[in-house]
Amino acid sequence: MTPAQWEALLYDWHNAHRLRRQRNDTAYWARLTEQHDTVLVLGAGTGRVASTLAHPARRRVTAVDLSRERLARMPRTPGLHPVCGDMRRLPLRGSHATAVIPYSTLQLLVTPHDRQRALTEAARVLAPGGSVHIDVSESFDARTETDWQIGLAEPCREAGGPVEEWERHRLHADHVVIEKQFRRSGRVLTEVTERWAFHSALNLAEALAQAGFELVGIDRGYGADLSPHRLIYHGRRTH
C-alpha cells in the first residue's frame, strides 16, 4: 500500500473515532441543502458528507477532492459524482445551486491569496443567487506547541490491528502546523503534515465580498449545542 493509500484509509479511521466523540454534522448539511437539486462539496475527502447529501432522489452531488486515493474510497452512491481537482482551479463548468465547504477545509488554504482563489472559483461555478456554506473552526487558534504525543489509539481492521495516531504542533503567526505519524506495532505506516489557518486570520466576511458573495448569516455549531467552537458562514452570490 502506498503512503497516499494509507493516508486515505487512516483518514476514514480517524474520522470514525474522532467524530464519534465530537458531533455528527451530516444531518445539519442535509437540512441546509434539502431544497437544492445540484450540490457541490469542496474538500469532499472520502465522501462522509457528500454521500449523505446524494441520498435524496433526483439530486446531483459533485464531490471535489485533491486526493485520488480518498476519492477511490468514496461510496458508489447514485447521484454522487467524484471529481479529482483543486478548489483553487476547479475543473468544472455549469451552474450549481449551492456549494458546501465542510470540516474546516478552507482553513487548509493557509494564504489569503489561495483562500480568495477558492472562493472566487466557487462563485464562478454557482448559479446567480447560488449559496455557499463554509464550516470553520476556532479551535486551531487555541492550540499550543507540543512535542510528539499520542492522540488516538483504536483498532483498524484494514490495517490488521490497533493503530496509534501521534502528533506534534508548531505555531506560526496565522496558522498551526500539525505533524502526524500513524503507527502500527511501532512501525510508521504514513506521515502527514497539515497546516491550518487560524479563524482570526480568515477575514471571511471581506473575502466573501471580494469573491462576489453577500454574507447572509453565521451559525454557531450545528444546532442542539453541537460543536459550538465551529462557525458556518453562509454567502449568496450577488452577480
Side-chain angles (χ1 to χ4, degrees):
M1 191 177 292
T2 68
Q5 289 171 325
W6 275 119
E7 188 279 331
L9 185 160
L10 294 168
Y11 172 85
D12 276 343
W13 168 85
H14 169 96
N15 285 341
H17 293 288
R18 281 286 176 90
L19 300 190
R20 181 184 65 196
R21 296 201 295 264
Q22 290 185 25
R23 79 287 189 271
N24 182 349
D25 57 345
T26 53
Y28 172 87
W29 296 119
R31 290 194 303 272
L32 189 68
T33 63
E34 62 185 354
Q35 301 301 318
H36 302 296
D37 292 333
T38 54
V39 180
L40 177 62
V41 181
L42 300 177
T46 58
R48 183 180 64 84
V49 172
S51 61
T52 299
L53 299 186
H55 281 301
R58 299 180 300 279
R59 169 182 274 193
R60 180 182 178 90
V61 176
T62 302
V64 179
D65 199 87
L66 196 57
S67 168
R68 293 187 184 277
E69 290 78 11
R70 290 188 183 186
L71 291 173
R73 296 181 62 84
M74 188 171 288
R76 296 300 180 257
T77 302
L80 179 59
H81 301 271
V83 174
C84 188
D86 189 328
M87 71 172 69
R88 296 165 295 183
R89 296 179 293 276
L90 288 172
L92 300 173
R93 296 182 181 179
S95 297
H96 297 79
T98 189
V100 169
I101 309 179
Y103 200 30
S104 310
T105 299
L106 190 71
Q107 287 171 278
L108 285 167
L109 302 179
V110 174
T111 71
H113 176 69
D114 280 347
R115 293 193 295 270
Q116 197 64 57
R117 287 173 64 188
L119 293 176
T120 300
E121 279 289 271
R124 179 181 65 81
V125 299
L126 283 171
S131 57
V132 65
H133 311 281
I134 308 166
D135 181 5
V136 299
S137 174
E138 294 180 309
S139 68
F140 299 113
D141 300 53
R143 297 295 177 103
T144 58
E145 294 245 352
T146 69
D147 204 346
W148 287 106
Q149 58 187 14
I150 191 167
L152 186 64
E154 294 285 350
C156 179
R157 180 182 57 80
E158 291 184 78
V163 170
E164 296 176 345
E165 179 180 341
W166 290 74
E167 61 180 45
R168 66 177 176 182
H169 304 166
R170 295 290 180 263
L171 296 181
H172 295 262
D174 58 356
H175 70 283
V176 58
V177 177
I178 302 178
E179 297 172 272
K180 295 184 177 183
Q181 288 186 348
F182 296 90
R183 305 177 186 176
R184 166 84 172 97
S185 300
R187 179 171 70 92
V188 176
L189 301 174
T190 191
E191 298 179 289
V192 177
T193 299
E194 300 172 338
R195 293 170 174 82
W196 298 94
F198 297 146
H199 173 257
S200 58
L202 296 181
N203 298 318
L204 259 186
E206 180 180 342
L208 283 165
Q210 290 181 7
F213 290 102
E214 172 192 8
L215 179 63
V216 296
I218 304 173
D219 287 345
R220 180 169 289 280
Y222 306 114
D225 297 323
L226 293 173
S227 296
H229 65 288
R230 308 199 71 87
L231 297 170
I232 301 90
Y233 286 70
H234 307 286
R236 181 183 298 115
R237 182 183 162 188
T238 56
H239 59 270

